[in-house]
Amino acid sequence: MEKYKAIPQGYMTVGEVAKKMGVTVRTLQYYDKKGLLSPSAESEGGRRLYTNKELIILNQIISLKSLGFTLGDIKERLISLDTPAGVADALTKQADNIRKNMEQLSASLTAIEHLREEVLQMQTVDFKKYADIIVNLQMNNKYYYLIKKFDEDTLEHIRCRFDKESGLAFMDRFNRLSDEILQLQKEDVPPESERCQRLTKAYWELIVEFTNGDMSMLPKLMEIGNFENCANEWEEKQAIVNAYLQPALEIYFSNIGIDPFGEVCDE
């Protein structure tokens, strides 16, 4: 960096550059520290001096910053942005980043709106349950609203029993089995039939898997699965499945000699 006793023609002090470009002196000092914009010269008195070349670079920095580029991005791109193709490529990449941010913001807005609805329906302040709902919204679990029906013990069981992948996989298996059972109901297949009993067995095995064999959870699950006032199509489907399966489960339990709500039946 050249040094001058006085400020030569064509050079500007940091204060003059800041005033001309509408930024603060502190900002220019910060850009210098980060290696984005260094002065061309310095006076013997220690005043940092800039030329029109730095003004052009500063204008570029300000423009890129207004487009959403980070200072790290700008530092990498300043050298290469000397052709229309280079500028176009940088803008294309930044447009992609903006689109991703918009998608994330849109998803966050949707999650907040859904959470607000659940909060009003719950009529209680329960931040732990709010957190569960948010996590499930982020997982794109469309059954997130069921969380408000669970008590804390059941929720804690779910948290310990399932992670994101296994939880979604379980719901997928449950729904596919429910669709098969619903088809039997539409065909009016009797509950004692081999087809119905086979699916009833699979349904019960899913319940046991969910509870991890803890039959004390059954009353809670029955209460949660009571869809007298169905809020959506999925609950309507489950209400039909539950009504169809009730006699089938009674037959199944009788055949295998167990009473899940009491002691093991005598053989």
Side-chain angles (χ1 to χ4, degrees), residues 62-214:
I62 294 170
S63 298
L64 291 172
K65 215 166 164 289
S66 70
L67 292 171
F69 286 94
T70 66
L71 293 182
D73 290 333
I74 294 171
K75 185 175 181 180
E76 291 179 4
R77 300 179 192 282
L78 278 175
I79 298 174
S80 62
L81 297 185
D82 53 3
T83 66
V87 174
D89 179 62
L91 291 175
T92 297
K93 290 178 181 177
Q94 184 59 16
D96 291 338
N97 290 335
I98 291 173
R99 272 190 286 270
K100 289 178 183 177
N101 290 337
M102 289 173 64
E103 290 172 2
Q104 291 172 353
L105 287 172
S106 178
S108 296
L109 176 60
T110 300
I112 289 171
E113 290 174 339
H114 286 319
L115 178 59
R116 177 182 177 277
E117 293 174 7
E118 299 307 315
V119 168
L120 291 175
Q121 290 181 29
M122 287 165 59
Q123 294 295 309
T124 57
V125 176
D126 188 336
F127 286 101
K128 197 169 185 180
K129 192 170 286 189
Y130 297 164
D132 284 325
I133 292 174
I134 290 172
V135 168
N136 279 268
L137 283 167
Q138 292 173 338
M139 289 164 51
N140 294 320
N141 180 2
K142 60 183 178 181
Y143 309 106
Y144 68 89
Y145 62 90
L146 291 173
I147 290 172
K148 65 177 177 287
K149 295 190 174 188
F150 293 109
D151 61 17
E152 182 54 36
D153 289 340
T154 307
L155 280 175
E156 189 59 33
H157 169 81
I158 294 172
R159 295 182 194 114
C160 296
R161 187 80 178 84
F162 300 98
D163 57 19
K164 175 181 178 180
E165 184 176 341
S166 61
L168 291 177
F170 183 90
M171 284 302 298
D172 180 63
R173 288 160 54 208
F174 179 83
N175 284 322
R176 283 190 282 110
L177 182 58
S178 295
D179 288 338
E180 291 185 64
I181 295 171
L182 192 62
Q183 185 59 40
L184 295 187
Q185 187 272 339
K186 290 179 179 177
E187 296 176 12
D188 202 22
V189 176
E192 68 274 11
S193 69
E194 188 277 332
R195 286 177 65 195
C196 183
Q197 285 299 301
R198 176 174 54 82
L199 293 186
T200 301
K201 177 177 183 291
Y203 186 89
W204 175 244
E205 288 174 347
L206 272 185
I207 298 298
V208 173
E209 179 182 341
F210 179 85
T211 63
N212 202 25
D214 182 1

